[in-house]
Amino acid sequence: MSSSTYKTKQSSIKELLIAKDFGKEIVVKGWVRFFRSNRFVILNDGSTINNIQAVIDLDKVSADQTKGISVGACLSISGKLMESSGSGQAVEIQVTSFEILGEADPEKYPLQPKKHSLEFLREIGHLRPRTNTFSAILRLRHAMTFAIHKFYNDRGFFNVHTPIITGSDCEGAGEMFRVTTLDPKNPPLKEDGSVDYKQDFFGKETNLTVSGQLNGELAAMALGKIYTFGPTFRAENSNTTRHLAEFWMIEPEVAFNEITENMDLAEDFIKYLIAYALENNMDDLEFLKQRLIDEEKDKPKEQRSEMDLIEKLRFVLNNKFERITYTEAIDILKNSKPHKAGKFQFPIGEWGFDMQSEHEKYLVEKHFKKPVIVTNYPAAIKAFYMKQNDDGKTVAAMDVLVPGIGEIIGGSQREDNYDKLIEAIKRFNIPEKDIWWYLDTRRFGSAPHAGFGLGFERLMLFISGMSNIRDVIPFPRAPKTAEF
């Protein structure tokens, strides 16, 4: 009862679940999620979180013919779309023929119809997209990618591809992956014993980029409004739930914008993405919401979220972000109950202290109970390129903080004064010869400009409600983790 040729056009399950043309001959292909009583096949093709039921007529098909059908197997099914008489589904397929495109040994296939831990699924990352959780994450990730490009395109921005291989360290952190073709066992050496990178492929020491910002600024000084969207890399030996070695960044850069317009753009951007997800991915969000509710049932009541996932997204969408200065934030934290009771893991220091994630979450979730934009940070804890304020102590920086995540966006107005930028790179011990091209934008037609970076995986954590950043990227790269 199989056939390799079908005259009927293949339909997606997403299309069929809302179709009303009952009796129509259809073809659907997908993977078996459940198979019971030798006749009920529950199929999913990835187009939606929802499955479709296909019913085999056992009067026309022997049990032997269905032997190859098991959870995980791939099928091509032909049949008629029928109104379902069962509860919980509007349609089903009355099977007229089927073909097993790929069997899955039920004794060895690791994804069975039961709940699997996220830790276990990370070990089988090549198969986890077949689960409801990760198929929902991947569909959301696609939707957010499309929405990001649409947001900027509709506002007259130009997408610029900045280099992945770079000779400069944008953040000055030094935690970069080296790119080289030199023999690691016998590299060419200088007289002082150091590696002679002049003999390397690029003739200098190069690394994987931590940010496209500096190159983005060059493009903004010609095109006005640009954004980058690409992979970035950080060789930080961290195994926390918030860090990856390879992640994606969205970095707009806008000529003639100052810090206020930068904050406006960031707030509009986040709200647009939330609205897009709510409008286009509600099935996936409903599933992830329920998953989070089930996950929190075992937690003490005081540790459970006050709002479910969709309520949280709508709350952020419908509230104006609070805007405060770093100085105001430190004062709030110093006067907070957790600080006075010694409950913060990192005690609040004096002015100039670099806030930690727990402090950011307190401001958002406990004090203001809505997203917060913190501005005017101490110059000493921010990057060299940020605009110096008139007070001589702070820079026109901004961080956007959201519930459950803390910082999701970091940005600033850029220093457009050549002399002040020279002073800054000297303070940060950055060799002028390494960024002479960046300084040229301040020498030739300098202009006020501002921008920010949104970590795409941080956004995905926020949108999906997942708690580990390794679960919102298809194939995570982290210390000792480079499988698949």
Side-chain angles (χ1 to χ4, degrees):
M1 192 179 176
S2 66
S3 172
S4 58
T5 305
Y6 297 100
K7 295 180 180 179
T8 310
K9 179 186 174 184
Q10 178 183 340
S11 300
S12 74
I13 291 175
K14 185 176 182 179
E15 294 169 334
L16 294 177
L17 290 175
I18 59 174
K20 298 296 182 184
D21 42 356
F22 302 120
K24 178 184 177 182
E25 293 283 343
I26 57 96
V27 173
V28 65
K29 301 176 184 180
W31 294 268
V32 178
R33 287 292 177 86
F34 304 98
F35 181 51
R36 58 187 174 86
S37 306
N38 282 337
R39 63 190 299 252
F40 297 103
V41 180
I42 309 301
L43 208 67
N44 188 282
D45 65 357
S47 63
T48 172
I49 193 81
N50 301 304
N51 307 317
I52 197 166
Q53 177 171 277
V55 183
I56 299 171
D57 187 346
L58 290 178
D59 290 334
K60 299 179 180 178
V61 182
S62 69
D64 284 344
Q65 290 175 293
T66 65
K67 275 186 178 179
I69 301 178
S70 63
V71 173
C74 184
L75 302 186
S76 177
I77 290 176
S78 290
K80 290 182 179 180
L81 187 68
M82 306 296 289
E83 188 171 8
S84 177
S85 57
S87 61
Q89 55 191 8
V91 301
E92 63 183 25
I93 302 169
Q94 189 179 80
V95 179
T96 55
S97 64
F98 68 88
E99 179 181 2
I100 300 172
L101 301 178
E103 294 187 8
D105 186 338
E107 300 297 321
K108 296 180 179 179
Y109 185 61
L111 292 174
Q112 293 303 314
K114 65 176 184 178
K115 186 175 181 180
H116 297 285
S117 72
L118 295 177
E119 290 79 8
F120 170 72
L121 293 177
R122 285 181 212 124
E123 295 174 4
I124 54 167
H126 57 308
L127 297 174
R128 72 176 185 172
R130 300 189 191 186
T131 65
N132 282 336
T133 297
F134 288 96
S135 64
I137 293 294
L138 293 179
R139 281 186 295 270
L140 264 175
R141 197 175 164 101
H142 162 77
M144 292 297 92
T145 298
F146 179 81
I148 287 162
H149 286 297
K150 181 170 173 53
F151 175 86
Y152 287 112
N153 182 73
D154 290 353
R155 286 156 181 77
F157 283 68
F158 299 100
N159 181 223
V160 173
H161 297 155
T162 53
I164 291 174
I165 300 173
T166 179
S168 61
D169 181 358
C170 176
E171 299 297 329
E175 296 166 330
M176 303 178 76
F177 289 103
R178 184 168 297 151
V179 176
T180 181
T181 58
L182 296 178
D183 183 351
K185 294 181 179 179
N186 188 31
L189 303 176
K190 298 179 184 177
E191 290 183 2
D192 63 3
S194 62
V195 176
D196 184 6
Y197 285 103
K198 286 186 178 179
Q199 296 187 47
D200 205 349
F201 186 91
F202 292 106
K204 62 183 295 187
E205 189 171 358
T206 53
N207 306 281
L208 295 179
T209 187
V210 299
S211 169
Q213 179 203 314
L214 301 188
N215 297 95
E217 286 188 53
L218 310 185
M221 290 298 98
L223 299 176
K225 297 191 291 187
I226 69 95
Y227 72 104
T228 74
F229 189 174
T232 51
F233 308 85
R234 191 71 58 85
E236 184 178 359
N237 190 17
S238 175
N239 275 297
T240 76
T241 58
R242 291 164 50 86
H243 291 91
L244 289 168
E246 175 183 294
F247 52 99
W248 288 68
M249 289 283 288
I250 302 96
E251 297 175 290
E253 203 69 38
V254 187
F256 317 117
N257 266 13
E258 298 186 0
I259 189 67
T260 301
E261 291 91 351
N262 207 34
M263 289 188 281
D264 293 341
L265 179 64
E267 183 170 345
D268 290 347
F269 183 33
I270 290 176
K271 288 183 173 181
Y272 179 92
L273 297 179
I274 293 171
Y276 190 92
L278 290 170
E279 183 176 346
N280 295 279
N281 292 79
M282 187 54 80
D283 284 350
D284 291 320
L285 289 175
E286 287 283 2
F287 170 81
L288 292 168
K289 177 191 83 171
Q290 189 57 50
R291 180 197 163 279
L292 197 58
I293 291 170
D294 294 341
E295 189 179 72
E296 291 191 338
K297 283 179 181 177
D298 297 331
K299 292 182 179 180
K301 190 173 182 180
E302 63 274 9
Q303 293 182 17
R304 297 176 196 169
S305 303
E306 294 181 8
M307 292 181 280
D308 68 38
L309 176 62
I310 293 173
E311 286 173 339
K312 179 189 74 173
L313 294 175
R314 287 194 170 126
F315 178 78
V316 172
L317 181 62
N318 296 328
N319 279 279
K320 184 168 178 58
F321 293 8
E322 189 73 29
R323 299 183 182 189
I324 61 171
T325 66
Y326 166 89
T327 302
E328 291 168 335
I330 294 299
D331 287 342
I332 291 168
L333 291 169
K334 279 189 171 183
N335 290 310
S336 68
K337 288 182 180 178
H339 173 66
K340 291 178 178 179
K343 290 188 176 180
F344 282 134
Q345 181 183 353
F346 297 93
I348 307 302
E350 295 304 312
W351 192 94
F353 167 80
D354 198 359
M355 286 189 291
Q356 301 297 310
S357 177
E358 61 176 335
H359 308 138
E360 295 169 343
K361 288 183 178 181
Y362 173 82
L363 292 170
V364 171
E365 297 170 16
K366 302 298 182 184
H367 187 81
F368 289 107
K369 297 187 176 180
K370 62 178 177 176
V372 176
I373 305 179
V374 182
T375 61
N376 296 339
Y377 282 82
I381 62 173
K382 288 296 182 181
F384 75 94
Y385 50 74
M386 296 188 177
K387 180 74 175 176
Q388 298 175 44
N389 290 326
D390 293 338
D391 60 16
K393 298 190 304 179
T394 63
V395 289
M398 65 167 217
D399 286 343
V400 181
L401 317 177
V402 296
I405 305 297
E407 181 193 339
I408 197 170
I409 280 178
S412 71
Q413 185 174 341
R414 316 310 189 187
E415 182 55 75
D416 55 282
N417 182 284
Y418 176 81
D419 293 332
K420 289 184 177 180
L421 191 57
I422 286 287
E423 291 174 8
I425 68 169
K426 288 178 179 177
R427 283 200 311 275
F428 281 81
N429 297 314
I430 299 170
E432 190 174 330
K433 64 179 177 61
D434 289 348
I435 57 167
W436 60 270
W437 45 271
Y438 183 73
L439 293 169
D440 268 4
T441 59
R442 276 64 173 178
R443 294 176 62 214
F444 306 129
S446 185
H449 60 290
F452 59 78
L454 168 67
F456 190 42
E457 283 69 36
R458 291 277 180 96
L459 170 74
M460 286 301 302
L461 284 176
F462 175 66
I463 295 285
S464 69
M466 300 296 284
S467 57
N468 193 319
I469 202 164
R470 300 185 192 193
D471 296 330
V472 294
I473 190 168
F475 308 104
R477 296 291 179 256
K480 307 296 188 291
T481 304
E483 293 293 330
F484 317 117

